[in-house]
Amino acid sequence: MALLLLFALGVGVVLSAGTLLVVTRPLERPDAIISLASHEWERLPAAAKLARATPAALVILTLPQPATVYNCHDCSGRLDRLRRLGIPPDRVRIIPLTAPGTYGEALAALAFARRTPIRRLLIVTTPYHTRRSLAAFRSVFDGTQVEIGVEPATDSSPAQPERWWATPYDRAYVAYEWAAELYYALRYRVAPWS
């Protein structure tokens, strides 16, 4: 009986592997909306939609160093894309990274927040990336007065968390994110379930 229960639990966890990665922490009236680098086709439409709903919010874009097609698919086209989505360039701030990855983006955002009156920061990212992003930013911003929220770019993403095993995109992204969750827990002591 116990073995059957463990098996059922294991199957449940595997089937939920996609949905467990996706979190939403809404944040009313953010001072800034940060669209993380890469996957611009997913993230920028969601960031623009939120920015149009909050006209006083800055839009922050991170800039990996060096920017490549692997860490920022369309870095040079992001301002034009946002302009076409109704966000004027004077609302956008581009912050260069001094460390790689999502953790580096959180560090760069913290440095920017210390120079700018930001008290409410909303992260926009790909659905499967939300849990790790929120955990990294909360870890980096711990001890500050900045409130952190996260919104998955669900409307513009092909992600299907409830059926993550059904497509190559979902299988690859879910596997990558679970490995990244473990890496962040070990490397940066980021607790993804807090």
Side-chain angles (χ1 to χ4, degrees), residues 58 60 93-96 98 107-119 141 146:
L58 290 175
I60 300 171
R93 303 296 182 272
I94 298 174
I95 56 174
T98 57
L107 292 171
L110 176 61
F112 182 78
R114 287 183 170 149
R115 299 186 310 269
T116 311
I118 293 175
R119 293 292 168 249
F141 278 81
V146 179

Side-chain angles (χ1 to χ4, degrees), residues 7-24:
F7 177 76
L9 181 63
V11 168
V13 168
V14 168
L15 292 177
S16 300
T19 56
L20 289 171
L21 291 170
V22 183
V23 297
T24 302

